[in-house]
């Protein structure tokens, strides 16, 4: 998630200068909370639907890809 955030920041940064980026972040940080309070029920329902879909996609990914990756033997911890 951090890598995706840095990638998005670099894409935005290549399109505009630093001062414009700071202004955009300022406007977004002051606008999003107000919009969330106004449309909280609708946003939460979309968020729940999205979360369910992400869980389904992860289950498919786990079944088809991650379960086939061989795991090495467990290493003993030295105390």
């Amino acid at each position: 998630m951090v890598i995706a955030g840095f990638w998005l920041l670099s894409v935005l940064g290549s399109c505009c200068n630093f001062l414009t980026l700071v202004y955009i972040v300022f406007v977004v940080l002051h606008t999003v909370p107000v919009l969330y309070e106004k449309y909280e029920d609708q946003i939460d329902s979309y968020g729940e639907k999205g979360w369910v879909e992400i869980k389904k996609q992860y289950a498919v990914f786990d079944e088809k890809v991650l379960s086939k990756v061989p795991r090495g033997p467990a290493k003993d911890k030295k105390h």
Side-chain angles (χ1 to χ4, degrees):
M1 192 178 261
V2 172
I3 293 171
F6 282 141
W7 175 80
L8 181 64
L9 188 64
S10 71
V11 169
L12 289 173
S14 67
C15 296
C16 57
N17 63 16
F18 180 72
L19 189 58
T20 305
L21 193 60
V22 168
Y23 177 73
I24 290 170
V25 167
F26 178 79
V27 169
V28 167
L29 287 176
H30 285 85
T31 305
V32 170
V34 173
L35 290 174
Y36 179 73
E37 286 181 12
K38 187 174 182 180
Y39 300 107
E40 185 174 358
D41 296 332
Q42 295 167 342
I43 292 171
D44 287 344
S45 70
Y46 284 124
E48 289 173 6
K49 290 176 187 175
W51 186 247
V52 168
E53 186 63 32
I54 288 172
K55 287 171 62 176
K56 286 180 190 176
Q57 294 298 324
Y58 180 76
V60 170
F61 179 71
D62 186 33
E63 179 184 329
K64 291 185 177 180
V65 177
L66 295 180
S67 64
K68 295 180 182 178
V69 175
R71 294 187 179 141
K75 295 180 181 180
D76 292 334
K77 290 184 178 182
K78 294 181 181 180
H79 296 291

Coordinates of all heavy atoms in Angstrom, one line a residue:
M1 N 0.8 -1.2 0.0 CA 0.0 0.0 0.0 C 0.9 1.3 0.0 O 0.5 2.2 -0.7 CB -0.9 0.0 1.2 CG -2.0 1.0 1.2 SD -3.1 0.9 2.6 CE -4.4 0.0 1.9
V2 N 2.0 1.2 0.7 CA 2.9 2.3 0.8 C 3.5 2.6 -0.6 O 3.6 3.7 -1.1 CB 4.0 2.1 1.9 CG1 5.0 3.2 1.8 CG2 3.3 2.1 3.2
I3 N 3.9 1.5 -1.3 CA 4.5 1.6 -2.6 C 3.5 2.2 -3.6 O 3.9 3.1 -4.4 CB 5.0 0.2 -3.1 CG1 6.1 -0.3 -2.2 CG2 5.4 0.2 -4.5 CD1 6.6 -1.7 -2.4
A4 N 2.3 1.8 -3.5 CA 1.2 2.3 -4.4 C 1.1 3.8 -4.1 O 0.9 4.6 -5.0 CB -0.1 1.6 -4.2
G5 N 1.1 4.2 -2.8 CA 1.0 5.6 -2.5 C 2.1 6.4 -3.0 O 1.9 7.5 -3.5
F6 N 3.3 5.9 -2.9 CA 4.5 6.6 -3.4 C 4.4 6.7 -4.9 O 4.8 7.7 -5.5 CB 5.8 6.0 -3.0 CG 6.2 6.3 -1.6 CD1 6.8 5.4 -0.7 CD2 6.0 7.6 -1.0 CE1 7.1 5.7 0.6 CE2 6.4 7.9 0.3 CZ 6.9 6.9 1.1
W7 N 4.0 5.6 -5.6 CA 3.8 5.7 -7.0 C 2.9 6.7 -7.5 O 3.1 7.5 -8.4 CB 3.4 4.3 -7.5 CG 3.2 4.3 -9.0 CD1 4.1 4.2 -10.0 CD2 1.9 4.4 -9.7 NE1 3.5 4.3 -11.2 CE2 2.1 4.3 -11.0 CE3 0.6 4.4 -9.2 CZ2 1.1 4.4 -12.0 CZ3 -0.4 4.5 -10.1 CH2 -0.2 4.5 -11.5
L8 N 1.7 6.8 -6.8 CA 0.7 7.8 -7.1 C 1.2 9.2 -6.9 O 1.0 10.1 -7.7 CB -0.6 7.5 -6.3 CG -1.7 8.5 -6.5 CD1 -2.2 8.3 -8.0 CD2 -2.8 8.2 -5.5
L9 N 2.0 9.4 -5.8 CA 2.6 10.7 -5.5 C 3.6 11.1 -6.6 O 3.6 12.2 -7.0 CB 3.2 10.6 -4.1 CG 3.8 11.9 -3.6 CD1 2.6 12.9 -3.3 CD2 4.5 11.7 -2.3
S10 N 4.3 10.1 -7.1 CA 5.3 10.4 -8.1 C 4.6 10.8 -9.4 O 5.1 11.6 -10.2 CB 6.3 9.3 -8.3 OG 5.7 8.2 -8.9
V11 N 3.5 10.1 -9.7 CA 2.8 10.4 -11.0 C 2.2 11.8 -10.9 O 2.3 12.6 -11.8 CB 1.6 9.4 -11.2 CG1 0.7 9.8 -12.3 CG2 2.3 8.0 -11.6
L12 N 1.6 12.1 -9.7 CA 1.0 13.5 -9.5 C 2.2 14.5 -9.5 O 2.0 15.6 -10.0 CB 0.3 13.6 -8.2 CG -1.1 12.8 -8.2 CD1 -1.7 12.9 -6.8 CD2 -2.0 13.5 -9.2
G13 N 3.3 14.2 -8.9 CA 4.4 15.1 -8.9 C 5.0 15.4 -10.2 O 5.5 16.5 -10.5
S14 N 4.9 14.4 -11.1 CA 5.5 14.7 -12.5 C 4.5 15.6 -13.3 O 4.9 16.1 -14.3 CB 5.7 13.4 -13.2 OG 4.5 12.7 -13.5
C15 N 3.3 15.7 -12.9 CA 2.3 16.5 -13.6 C 2.3 17.9 -13.1 O 1.8 18.8 -13.9 CB 0.9 15.9 -13.5 SG 0.7 14.3 -14.2
C16 N 2.7 18.2 -11.9 CA 2.6 19.6 -11.4 C 3.8 19.8 -10.5 O 4.5 18.9 -10.0 CB 1.3 19.8 -10.7 SG 1.0 18.6 -9.4
N17 N 4.0 21.1 -10.1 CA 5.1 21.4 -9.2 C 4.7 21.2 -7.7 O 3.5 20.9 -7.4 CB 5.6 22.8 -9.4 CG 4.5 23.9 -9.1 OD1 3.5 23.6 -8.5 ND2 4.8 25.1 -9.6
F18 N 5.6 21.4 -6.8 CA 5.4 21.1 -5.4 C 4.3 22.0 -4.8 O 3.5 21.5 -4.0 CB 6.7 21.3 -4.7 CG 6.6 21.0 -3.2 CD1 6.4 19.7 -2.7 CD2 6.6 22.1 -2.3 CE1 6.3 19.5 -1.4 CE2 6.5 21.8 -0.9 CZ 6.3 20.5 -0.5
L19 N 4.3 23.3 -5.1 CA 3.3 24.2 -4.6 C 1.9 23.8 -5.0 O 0.9 23.8 -4.2 CB 3.6 25.6 -5.0 CG 2.8 26.7 -4.3 CD1 3.0 26.6 -2.8 CD2 3.2 28.1 -4.8
T20 N 1.7 23.4 -6.2 CA 0.4 23.0 -6.7 C 0.0 21.7 -6.0 O -1.2 21.5 -5.6 CB 0.4 22.7 -8.2 OG1 0.9 23.9 -8.9 CG2 -1.0 22.4 -8.7
L21 N 0.9 20.8 -5.8 CA 0.6 19.5 -5.1 C 0.2 19.8 -3.6 O -0.7 19.2 -3.1 CB 1.8 18.6 -5.1 CG 1.7 17.2 -4.7 CD1 0.6 16.5 -5.6 CD2 3.0 16.4 -4.8
V22 N 0.9 20.7 -3.0 CA 0.5 21.1 -1.6 C -0.9 21.7 -1.6 O -1.7 21.4 -0.7 CB 1.5 22.1 -1.0 CG1 1.0 22.7 0.3 CG2 2.9 21.4 -0.8
Y23 N -1.2 22.5 -2.5 CA -2.6 23.1 -2.6 C -3.6 22.0 -2.8 O -4.7 22.1 -2.2 CB -2.6 24.2 -3.7 CG -4.0 24.8 -3.9 CD1 -4.4 25.7 -3.0 CD2 -4.8 24.4 -5.0 CE1 -5.7 26.3 -3.1 CE2 -6.0 25.0 -5.1 CZ -6.5 25.9 -4.2 OH -7.7 26.4 -4.3
I24 N -3.4 21.1 -3.7 CA -4.3 20.0 -4.0 C -4.5 19.2 -2.7 O -5.7 18.9 -2.3 CB -3.8 19.1 -5.1 CG1 -3.9 19.9 -6.4 CG2 -4.7 17.8 -5.2 CD1 -3.3 19.2 -7.6
V25 N -3.5 18.9 -2.0 CA -3.6 18.1 -0.8 C -4.4 18.9 0.3 O -5.2 18.3 1.0 CB -2.2 17.7 -0.3 CG1 -2.2 17.2 1.2 CG2 -1.6 16.7 -1.2
F26 N -4.1 20.2 0.4 CA -4.8 21.0 1.3 C -6.3 21.0 1.1 O -7.1 20.8 2.0 CB -4.3 22.4 1.3 CG -5.0 23.4 2.2 CD1 -4.7 23.4 3.6 CD2 -5.9 24.3 1.7 CE1 -5.3 24.3 4.4 CE2 -6.6 25.1 2.6 CZ -6.3 25.2 3.9
V27 N -6.7 21.2 -0.2 CA -8.1 21.2 -0.6 C -8.8 19.9 -0.3 O -9.9 19.8 0.2 CB -8.3 21.7 -2.0 CG1 -9.7 21.4 -2.5 CG2 -7.9 23.1 -2.2
V28 N -8.1 18.8 -0.7 CA -8.6 17.4 -0.5 C -8.8 17.1 1.0 O -9.9 16.6 1.4 CB -7.8 16.4 -1.2 CG1 -8.1 15.0 -0.7 CG2 -7.9 16.5 -2.7
L29 N -7.8 17.5 1.8 CA -7.9 17.2 3.2 C -9.0 18.0 3.9 O -9.5 17.6 5.0 CB -6.6 17.5 3.9 CG -5.5 16.5 3.7 CD1 -4.2 16.9 4.3 CD2 -5.9 15.1 4.2
H30 N -9.4 19.2 3.3 CA -10.5 19.9 3.9 C -11.9 19.6 3.3 O -12.9 20.0 3.9 CB -10.2 21.4 3.8 CG -9.2 21.9 4.8 ND1 -7.8 21.8 4.5 CD2 -9.3 22.4 6.0 CE1 -7.2 22.2 5.6 NE2 -8.0 22.6 6.5
T31 N -11.9 19.0 2.2 CA -13.2 18.7 1.5 C -13.7 17.3 1.8 O -14.9 17.1 2.0 CB -13.0 18.8 0.0 OG1 -12.5 20.1 -0.3 CG2 -14.3 18.6 -0.8
V32 N -12.8 16.3 1.8 CA -13.2 14.9 2.0 C -13.9 14.7 3.3 O -15.0 14.0 3.3 CB -12.0 13.9 1.8 CG1 -12.3 12.5 2.3 CG2 -11.5 14.0 0.4
P33 N -13.5 15.2 4.5 CA -14.2 14.9 5.7 C -15.7 15.5 5.7 O -16.6 14.8 6.2 CB -13.4 15.6 6.8 CG -12.0 15.7 6.3 CD -12.2 15.8 4.8
V34 N -15.8 16.6 5.1 CA -17.2 17.2 5.0 C -18.1 16.3 4.1 O -19.2 16.1 4.5 CB -17.1 18.7 4.5 CG1 -18.5 19.2 4.2 CG2 -16.3 19.5 5.4
L35 N -17.6 15.9 3.0 CA -18.3 15.0 2.1 C -18.7 13.7 2.8 O -19.7 13.1 2.6 CB -17.6 14.8 0.8 CG -17.5 16.0 -0.1 CD1 -16.7 15.7 -1.3 CD2 -18.9 16.5 -0.5
Y36 N -17.7 13.2 3.5 CA -17.9 11.9 4.2 C -19.0 12.1 5.3 O -19.9 11.2 5.4 CB -16.7 11.4 4.9 CG -16.9 10.1 5.6 CD1 -17.1 8.9 4.9 CD2 -16.9 10.1 7.0 CE1 -17.3 7.7 5.6 CE2 -17.2 8.9 7.7 CZ -17.3 7.7 7.0 OH -17.6 6.6 7.7
E37 N -19.0 13.1 6.0 CA -20.1 13.3 7.0 C -21.5 13.5 6.4 O -22.4 13.0 6.9 CB -19.8 14.6 7.9 CG -18.7 14.4 8.9 CD -18.4 15.6 9.7 OE1 -19.2 16.6 9.6 OE2 -17.4 15.7 10.4
K38 N -21.5 14.1 5.2 CA -22.8 14.3 4.5 C -23.3 13.0 3.9 O -24.5 12.8 4.0 CB -22.6 15.4 3.4 CG -23.9 15.8 2.8 CD -23.6 16.9 1.8 CE -24.9 17.4 1.2 NZ -24.7 18.5 0.3
Y39 N -22.5 12.2 3.4 CA -22.9 11.0 2.7 C -22.3 9.7 3.3 O -22.0 8.7 2.7 CB -22.4 11.0 1.2 CG -22.9 12.2 0.4 CD1 -22.1 13.3 0.1 CD2 -24.3 12.2 0.1 CE1 -22.6 14.3 -0.6 CE2 -24.8 13.3 -0.7 CZ -23.9 14.4 -1.0 OH -24.4 15.4 -1.7
E40 N -22.3 9.7 4.6 CA -21.6 8.6 5.4 C -22.3 7.3 5.1 O -21.6 6.3 4.9 CB -21.7 9.0 6.9 CG -20.9 8.0 7.7 CD -20.9 8.4 9.2 OE1 -21.4 9.5 9.5 OE2 -20.4 7.6 10.0
D41 N -23.6 7.2 5.2 CA -24.3 5.9 5.0 C -24.0 5.3 3.6 O -23.7 4.1 3.5 CB -25.8 6.1 5.2 CG -26.1 6.5 6.6 OD1 -25.3 6.2 7.5 OD2 -27.2 7.2 6.8
Q42 N -24.1 6.2 2.6 CA -23.8 5.7 1.2 C -22.4 5.2 1.0 O -22.1 4.2 0.4 CB -24.2 6.8 0.2 CG -25.6 7.1 0.2 CD -25.9 8.4 -0.6 OE1 -25.0 9.2 -0.8 NE2 -27.2 8.5 -1.0
I43 N -21.4 6.0 1.6 CA -20.0 5.7 1.4 C -19.7 4.4 2.2 O -19.0 3.5 1.7 CB -19.2 6.8 2.0 CG1 -19.3 8.1 1.0 CG2 -17.7 6.4 2.1 CD1 -18.7 9.3 1.6
D44 N -20.3 4.2 3.4 CA -20.1 3.0 4.1 C -20.6 1.8 3.4 O -20.0 0.7 3.4 CB -20.7 3.1 5.5 CG -19.9 4.0 6.4 OD1 -18.7 4.4 6.1 OD2 -20.4 4.5 7.5
S45 N -21.8 1.9 2.8 CA -22.3 0.7 2.1 C -21.5 0.4 0.9 O -21.2 -0.8 0.6 CB -23.8 1.0 1.6 OG -23.8 2.0 0.6
Y46 N -21.0 1.4 0.1 CA -20.1 1.1 -1.0 C -18.8 0.5 -0.5 O -18.2 -0.4 -1.1 CB -19.8 2.3 -1.8 CG -20.9 2.7 -2.7 CD1 -21.4 4.0 -2.6 CD2 -21.4 1.9 -3.6 CE1 -22.5 4.4 -3.4 CE2 -22.5 2.2 -4.5 CZ -23.0 3.5 -4.4 OH -24.0 3.9 -5.2
G47 N -18.3 1.0 0.7 CA -17.1 0.4 1.3 C -17.2 -1.0 1.7 O -16.3 -1.8 1.5
E48 N -18.4 -1.4 2.2 CA -18.6 -2.8 2.6 C -18.7 -3.7 1.4 O -18.1 -4.8 1.4 CB -19.9 -2.9 3.4 CG -19.8 -2.3 4.8 CD -21.1 -2.2 5.6 OE1 -22.1 -2.7 5.0 OE2 -21.2 -1.6 6.7
K49 N -19.4 -3.2 0.4 CA -19.4 -4.0 -0.9 C -18.1 -4.2 -1.5 O -17.7 -5.3 -1.9 CB -20.4 -3.3 -1.9 CG -21.8 -3.3 -1.5 CD -22.7 -2.6 -2.5 CE -24.1 -2.4 -2.1 NZ -24.9 -1.6 -3.0
G50 N -17.3 -3.1 -1.5 CA -15.9 -3.2 -2.0 C -15.0 -4.2 -1.2 O -14.3 -4.9 -1.7
W51 N -15.2 -4.1 0.1 CA -14.4 -5.0 1.0 C -14.8 -6.5 0.8 O -13.9 -7.3 0.7 CB -14.6 -4.6 2.5 CG -13.7 -5.4 3.4 CD1 -14.1 -6.3 4.3 CD2 -12.3 -5.3 3.5 NE1 -13.1 -6.8 5.0 CE2 -11.9 -6.2 4.5 CE3 -11.4 -4.6 2.8 CZ2 -10.6 -6.4 4.8 CZ3 -10.0 -4.8 3.2 CH2 -9.7 -5.7 4.2
V52 N -16.0 -6.8 0.6 CA -16.5 -8.1 0.3 C -15.9 -8.6 -1.0 O -15.4 -9.7 -1.1 CB -18.0 -8.2 0.3 CG1 -18.5 -9.5 -0.3 CG2 -18.6 -8.0 1.7
E53 N -15.9 -7.7 -2.0 CA -15.3 -8.1 -3.3 C -13.8 -8.3 -3.2 O -13.3 -9.2 -3.8 CB -15.6 -7.0 -4.3 CG -15.2 -7.3 -5.8 CD -16.0 -8.5 -6.3 OE1 -17.1 -8.7 -6.0 OE2 -15.4 -9.2 -7.1
I54 N -13.1 -7.5 -2.5 CA -11.7 -7.7 -2.3 C -11.4 -9.0 -1.6 O -10.5 -9.7 -2.0 CB -11.1 -6.5 -1.5 CG1 -11.0 -5.3 -2.4 CG2 -9.7 -6.8 -1.0 CD1 -10.6 -4.0 -1.6
K55 N -12.2 -9.4 -0.6 CA -12.0 -10.6 0.1 C -12.2 -11.8 -0.9 O -11.5 -12.8 -0.8 CB -12.9 -10.7 1.3 CG -12.5 -9.9 2.4 CD -13.5 -9.8 3.6 CE -13.7 -11.1 4.2 NZ -14.7 -11.0 5.4
K56 N -13.2 -11.7 -1.8 CA -13.5 -12.8 -2.8 C -12.3 -12.9 -3.7 O -11.8 -14.0 -4.0 CB -14.7 -12.4 -3.6 CG -16.0 -12.7 -2.9 CD -17.2 -12.3 -3.8 CE -18.5 -12.3 -3.1 NZ -19.6 -11.8 -4.0
Q57 N -11.8 -11.8 -4.2 CA -10.7 -11.8 -5.1 C -9.4 -12.3 -4.5 O -8.6 -13.1 -5.1 CB -10.4 -10.4 -5.7 CG -11.5 -9.8 -6.5 CD -11.7 -10.7 -7.8 OE1 -10.8 -11.2 -8.4 NE2 -13.0 -10.8 -8.2
Y58 N -9.2 -12.0 -3.2 CA -8.0 -12.5 -2.5 C -8.2 -14.0 -2.3 O -7.2 -14.8 -2.4 CB -7.9 -11.9 -1.1 CG -6.7 -12.4 -0.4 CD1 -5.4 -12.0 -0.7 CD2 -6.8 -13.3 0.7 CE1 -4.3 -12.6 -0.1 CE2 -5.7 -13.9 1.3 CZ -4.5 -13.5 0.9 OH -3.4 -14.0 1.6
A59 N -9.4 -14.5 -2.0 CA -9.6 -16.0 -1.9 C -9.2 -16.7 -3.2 O -8.6 -17.8 -3.1 CB -11.0 -16.3 -1.4
V60 N -9.6 -16.1 -4.3 CA -9.3 -16.7 -5.6 C -7.8 -16.7 -5.8 O -7.2 -17.7 -6.2 CB -10.1 -16.0 -6.7 CG1 -9.6 -16.4 -8.1 CG2 -11.6 -16.2 -6.6
F61 N -7.2 -15.6 -5.5 CA -5.7 -15.4 -5.7 C -5.0 -16.4 -4.8 O -4.0 -17.0 -5.2 CB -5.3 -14.0 -5.4 CG -3.9 -13.7 -5.4 CD1 -3.2 -13.7 -6.7 CD2 -3.1 -13.5 -4.3 CE1 -1.9 -13.4 -6.8 CE2 -1.8 -13.3 -4.4 CZ -1.1 -13.2 -5.6
D62 N -5.5 -16.5 -3.5 CA -4.8 -17.5 -2.6 C -5.0 -18.9 -3.1 O -4.0 -19.7 -3.0 CB -5.5 -17.3 -1.2 CG -4.8 -18.2 -0.2 OD1 -3.6 -18.3 -0.3 OD2 -5.5 -18.6 0.7
E63 N -6.1 -19.3 -3.6 CA -6.3 -20.6 -4.1 C -5.5 -20.9 -5.3 O -4.9 -22.0 -5.4 CB -7.8 -20.8 -4.4 CG -8.2 -22.1 -5.0 CD -9.6 -22.2 -5.4 OE1 -10.5 -21.5 -4.8 OE2 -9.9 -23.0 -6.3
K64 N -5.4 -20.0 -6.3 CA -4.8 -20.3 -7.5 C -3.3 -20.0 -7.5 O -2.5 -20.6 -8.3 CB -5.4 -19.4 -8.6 CG -6.8 -19.8 -9.0 CD -7.4 -19.1 -10.1 CE -8.7 -19.6 -10.5 NZ -9.3 -18.9 -11.6
V65 N -2.8 -19.1 -6.7 CA -1.4 -18.7 -6.7 C -0.6 -19.0 -5.4 O 0.3 -19.7 -5.4 CB -1.2 -17.2 -7.1 CG1 0.2 -16.8 -7.1 CG2 -1.9 -16.9 -8.4
L66 N -1.1 -18.4 -4.4 CA -0.4 -18.5 -3.1 C -0.3 -19.9 -2.6 O 0.7 -20.3 -2.0 CB -1.0 -17.6 -2.1 CG -0.9 -16.1 -2.4 CD1 -1.5 -15.3 -1.2 CD2 0.6 -15.7 -2.6
S67 N -1.3 -20.7 -2.8 CA -1.3 -22.1 -2.3 C -0.3 -23.0 -3.0 O 0.1 -24.0 -2.5 CB -2.7 -22.7 -2.3 OG -3.1 -22.8 -3.7
K68 N 0.1 -22.6 -4.2 CA 1.0 -23.4 -5.0 C 2.5 -23.0 -4.8 O 3.4 -23.7 -5.3 CB 0.7 -23.2 -6.5 CG -0.7 -23.7 -6.8 CD -1.0 -23.6 -8.3 CE -2.4 -24.1 -8.5 NZ -2.8 -24.0 -9.9
V69 N 2.7 -21.9 -4.0 CA 4.1 -21.5 -3.7 C 4.7 -22.5 -2.7 O 4.1 -22.6 -1.6 CB 4.1 -20.1 -3.2 CG1 5.6 -19.7 -2.8 CG2 3.6 -19.1 -4.3
P70 N 5.8 -23.1 -3.0 CA 6.3 -24.0 -2.0 C 6.9 -23.3 -0.8 O 7.5 -22.2 -0.9 CB 7.5 -24.7 -2.7 CG 7.8 -23.8 -3.8 CD 6.6 -23.1 -4.2
R71 N 6.7 -23.8 0.4 CA 7.2 -23.3 1.6 C 8.3 -24.1 2.1 O 8.3 -25.3 2.1 CB 6.1 -23.2 2.7 CG 5.0 -22.2 2.3 CD 4.0 -22.1 3.4 NE 3.0 -21.1 3.0 CZ 1.7 -21.2 3.3 NH1 1.3 -22.3 4.0 NH2 0.9 -20.3 2.9
G72 N 9.3 -23.4 2.6 CA 10.5 -24.1 3.1 C 10.2 -24.7 4.5 O 9.2 -24.3 5.1
P73 N 11.1 -25.5 5.0 CA 10.9 -26.0 6.4 C 11.0 -24.9 7.4 O 11.7 -23.9 7.2 CB 12.1 -27.0 6.6 CG 13.1 -26.5 5.6 CD 12.4 -25.9 4.4
A74 N 10.3 -25.0 8.5 CA 10.3 -24.0 9.5 C 11.6 -24.0 10.2 O 12.2 -25.1 10.5 CB 9.2 -24.3 10.5
K75 N 12.2 -22.8 10.5 CA 13.5 -22.7 11.1 C 13.3 -22.6 12.6 O 12.3 -22.0 13.1 CB 14.2 -21.5 10.6 CG 14.6 -21.6 9.2 CD 15.3 -20.3 8.7 CE 15.6 -20.4 7.2 NZ 16.3 -19.2 6.8
D76 N 14.2 -23.3 13.3 CA 14.1 -23.2 14.8 C 14.7 -21.9 15.2 O 15.7 -21.4 14.7 CB 14.9 -24.3 15.4 CG 14.3 -25.7 15.2 OD1 13.0 -25.7 15.0 OD2 15.0 -26.7 15.2
K77 N 14.0 -21.2 16.2 CA 14.6 -20.0 16.8 C 15.6 -20.3 17.8 O 15.4 -21.2 18.6 CB 13.4 -19.2 17.4 CG 12.5 -18.6 16.4 CD 11.5 -17.7 17.1 CE 10.5 -17.1 16.1 NZ 9.6 -16.2 16.7
K78 N 16.7 -19.5 17.8 CA 17.7 -19.7 18.8 C 17.4 -18.7 19.9 O 17.2 -17.5 19.7 CB 19.1 -19.5 18.2 CG 19.5 -20.5 17.2 CD 20.8 -20.2 16.6 CE 21.2 -21.3 15.6 NZ 22.5 -21.1 15.0
H79 N 17.5 -19.2 21.1 CA 17.2 -18.3 22.3 C 18.5 -17.9 23.0 O 19.4 -18.5 23.1 CB 16.3 -19.0 23.3 CG 14.9 -19.2 22.7 ND1 14.0 -18.2 22.4 CD2 14.3 -20.4 22.4 CE1 12.9 -18.7 21.9 NE2 13.0 -20.1 21.9

